[in-house]
Every structure is written in C-alpha cells, then in structure tokens.
Amino acid sequence: MFYKRSSELFLEANKVIPGGVNSPVRAFKGVGGTPIFVKEAKGAYLFDEDGNRLIDYINSWGPMILGHAYEPVVNAVIEKAKKGTSFGMPTELETKIAELAVSMVPNIDKIRFVNSGTEACMSAIRLARGYTKRDKIIKFSGCYHGHSDSFLIAAGSGLSTFGIPNSPGVTEGTAKDTLLSGYNDIDNVKALFEANKNEIAAIIIEPVAGNMGCVPPVQGFLEDLRAVCSENGTLLIFDEVMTGFRLAKGGAQELYGIQADIVCFGKVIGGGLPVGAFAAREEIMNYLAPLGPVYQAGTLSGNPLAMAAGLEMLKALNADDDIFKRLDEKTAYLEKGIREVLTEENVIFTINRLGSMISVHFDANPVYDFATAKNGDNDTFKKFFHGMLNRGIYIAPSAYETWFITDALTYEDIDFTIAKIKEVAKEL
C-alpha cells in the first residue's frame, strides 16, 4: 500500500501541531514510520487519504462497538445539531441518558457527565478525597487514567515508596500523594495500606487493564481489593473508560460481580463523541457541588450533540440481548485463528483476551502486569504492525494497547485478517 498523501499531511501537521498529532500514540513513535491520516470510516473499515481501505481493530480506541458511522448515532447528532450545538444550560436529554446509564450499571444512583475519560478520572479522585477527607491514592503500574497530574507517576523503589513524576510539569508535591502498586499484586497493596494507615482515600484501577495490552485481573484480585478498601474506609474506583458498556451492559462490575464505590466512563458512553462520566451511590455523588463542597464544573459537560450520540448508543446496546455474546464469539474466533497460525509458523507469543478486548504479546511467558508486558519483543511487534498495515489491517501502533473488536466486523473480515497474519508470521 502507498501512503503518499498521509506523509504529506504529516509534514504539514508538524509545522503547526506538536509532533504533528493531538495525542502522542498517533505519531507512530512506538512502531516507526508515518501515521495514517483517515478520510472517512464506515462499519469495520477505515478509508485513508490515499484511498486505502483498512480493517479496523482499534475502533477509535473502543467507542465504535457497533461500527463506524453507526446510522442511529449519526442521525441523532445531525438532528440535534440543527437545533443548536451548545447551550451551557440543562437539557432533558441529559436526564434521559443519565436514567438509562443508571439503570444499566450496578451500584450507582447518580451520574455526572464530563467531556473525556481523563476528566472523569480526575474528578472521581477529587470526589474521593473530599468524601473521605484523605489525600493519598493508590494506582497501578501500567494502568492509564488520563493525563491528569495525579496519574502521571512512575514507580519508586520499595513497596511503600512515594511515586515520582514521570512527566515534566508534574510537581513532587502532587506525586507524593500517589502510591504505586503492581497490578494483580494484592500483597503490594496491603503493604501500602500498612505503611499509610488512615491516609488512603481511594484505589483507582482499570478492572481489566487495556494500556499494557489487555491484562485481566487474576482470580480473586478484585475481590481482595474490595475487601481491603472496605476494611480501611477507602473508596474503590473502577476506571471503566474502556470496559464500561463494552464487556457487559453493566461493565466490569456486572461481569465480575464486584461493587465499586465510584465508576468512571468514557469511550462507548459517548457513541464516538467526546464524553466522559463518573457515577456512584447517592451519598457520595451528593458531595459534589452544588449539593456538596467538592467543586467540579464544565461549560461543555452534557453537550447536546454528545448526549444525543451517547443516548442512541446505550439504547442500542440495552435493547440487544445478544450483542456481548456476539462480540465475545467473534473475538474468540479471532484468538483461535491467531494462535493456530503463529504456532504453525513457530512465532513466540502469548495472547490475552477478555470479551471483545484482545492483545498479542511476542513473549512466551504469561502477561499479568506491566513488568511482564514489557518483556515482549518490541522489534517483532514493529515488524508485525507494519506487515499487517501493508496488508490492509490496522491494529494499535503500540505494543502496550489492547485491540477492540466491533460488531460490524464480519467473519469474512476475521478470516481475511487471520490469513494476513499467517503471511506476516512467515516474515517475523
């Protein structure tokens, strides 16, 4: 395939946009080469500026669960735009999507809409700190909760060491209140509680990690987190920006039967438009202004275009009793095919999958946390990525990102993908 126009556009973009992109992973720094500029998309396919068609396994990093340009969502946005794009005032639409979301997700009474997953997680942490009157939080290596200062923390040495900033611009004062634990390591978590008694406001976690590849929780880990939070008066925050309305109607809480205290949403809940949300039981949510002392605001929060898109998406998912079964079956079919062809070609690999999230790691050992995810052969991944791209398959341009499957993907698309993986595997 040829990407002449994409290359030209990237050069133009670099003159006026830092790195030529508005989100770093798009720059292809992890895989090399020139990023693809998309012109349009439909169903399971992307069409770039050079006229190439690509089968899409990213789907805008998750929200296109029913495919690109899903007609009910597109129509709802068009009709709403005709009546105005932003008011900075309440609309009935906000209440309708809130009622639907609350009815679908376990253990939440109220929800507040914001504009991104980053904003949702940032607000959830502030709410947890205000509610518990404590300052410290625990996050996990390899879990990404957006680019808010509290989350851009690298590991220190030792179980109870304060985190240190791993991005310039994050102060040590902010970093000291973020404690870092290993994912799937409950002993590490307990040691942090022992070293910081009565100081930890919240644990925030991706219940199924998606930013070190797809990494599910080991058996009992989420249950143990719930127990340790309950024992210590600490709030458990599920960052379901990726998993919410994707793994089940009620997200990971429903799938695992674990009740979080605060849940963060993004991706699917916006139907492809910029939307985030955070939700909790009434007594926690009532701590937010204007009812309570914890301040959070946003001019474009509850934007009518975003609410229209999100409402149509949730309505479609809620009305389809087989959607998550179909997604699971398609992704399992893909996994089986990948396993077979990589094994036949003697490629060293492991695959993680849960529902419609899947990742291929070029290492023979299990991947269960960030340290094991980093053991993968990145040179092999780069060859794999470009080999797939040149054959019309678009996967994440990073070894540390999950793939997302859309219901618009056909079994013919999957068979084509598996055949191309076999071709690429011969070159690895």
Side-chain angles (χ1 to χ4, degrees), residues 195-348:
N196 299 272
K197 289 183 177 179
N198 301 317
E199 294 184 85
I200 299 173
I203 291 177
I204 185 167
I205 186 170
E206 291 179 275
V208 178
N211 287 283
M212 44 185 155
C214 173
V215 180
V218 297
Q219 186 173 2
F221 181 59
L222 296 180
E223 289 85 350
D224 287 341
L225 288 182
R226 175 67 275 171
V228 76
C229 283
S230 297
E231 290 165 6
N232 289 276
T234 296
L235 299 186
L236 178 61
I237 302 174
F238 273 8
D239 175 354
E240 294 221 45
V241 169
M242 287 187 178
T243 59
F245 308 104
R246 170 165 280 279
L247 296 183
K249 290 182 182 180
Q253 282 195 106
E254 176 187 328
L255 189 67
Y256 287 104
I258 306 294
Q259 291 191 338
D261 295 301
I262 305 176
V263 191
C264 301
F265 300 106
K267 311 291 187 187
V268 173
I269 202 173
L273 270 71
V275 183
F278 59 107
R281 300 186 306 275
E282 185 172 22
E283 64 268 24
I284 297 175
M285 293 301 285
N286 285 353
Y287 238 70
L288 284 172
L291 295 177
V294 175
Y295 194 73
Q296 179 275 326
T299 298
L300 292 177
S301 296
N303 174 272
L305 302 188
M307 296 293 93
L311 179 59
E312 288 304 316
M313 181 63 71
L314 294 193
K315 283 166 61 177
L317 296 175
N318 196 44
D320 189 343
D321 291 333
D322 295 324
I323 176 64
F324 298 103
K325 180 174 181 290
R326 291 199 306 274
L327 285 165
D328 182 73
E329 289 172 347
K330 288 180 180 181
T331 316
Y333 185 86
L334 175 65
E335 178 188 6
K336 180 175 181 290
I338 296 173
R339 286 188 182 279
E340 288 175 354
V341 298
L342 292 185
T343 299
E344 287 171 6
E345 299 302 327
N346 297 311
V347 176
I348 296 172

Side-chain angles (χ1 to χ4, degrees), residues 281-427:
R281 300 186 306 275
E282 185 172 22
E283 64 268 24
I284 297 175
M285 293 301 285
N286 285 353
Y287 238 70
L288 284 172
L291 295 177
V294 175
Y295 194 73
Q296 179 275 326
T299 298
L300 292 177
S301 296
N303 174 272
L305 302 188
M307 296 293 93
L311 179 59
E312 288 304 316
M313 181 63 71
L314 294 193
K315 283 166 61 177
L317 296 175
N318 196 44
D320 189 343
D321 291 333
D322 295 324
I323 176 64
F324 298 103
K325 180 174 181 290
R326 291 199 306 274
L327 285 165
D328 182 73
E329 289 172 347
K330 288 180 180 181
T331 316
Y333 185 86
L334 175 65
E335 178 188 6
K336 180 175 181 290
I338 296 173
R339 286 188 182 279
E340 288 175 354
V341 298
L342 292 185
T343 299
E344 287 171 6
E345 299 302 327
N346 297 311
V347 176
I348 296 172
F349 74 97
T350 189
I351 297 177
N352 282 2
R353 181 181 74 85
L354 190 69
S356 58
M357 298 169 63
I358 183 172
S359 58
V360 181
H361 304 262
F362 293 102
D363 185 68
N365 299 305
V367 174
Y368 53 84
D369 63 7
F370 192 43
T372 51
K374 290 193 293 185
N375 289 335
D377 186 337
N378 280 339
D379 288 336
T380 298
F381 178 81
K382 292 175 186 177
K383 294 175 185 176
F384 181 74
F385 171 82
H386 284 288
M388 296 300 288
L389 182 62
N390 289 333
R391 289 167 172 83
I393 314 292
Y394 190 73
I395 64 172
S398 166
Y400 303 112
E401 298 283 357
T402 186
W403 306 5
F404 295 99
I405 306 305
T406 172
D407 193 44
L409 193 72
T410 67
Y411 281 94
E412 290 76 15
D413 293 327
I414 299 172
D415 284 335
F416 178 85
T417 301
I418 293 167
K420 296 306 175 184
I421 290 176
K422 186 173 179 65
E423 292 179 12
V424 173
K426 293 179 182 296
E427 302 173 355

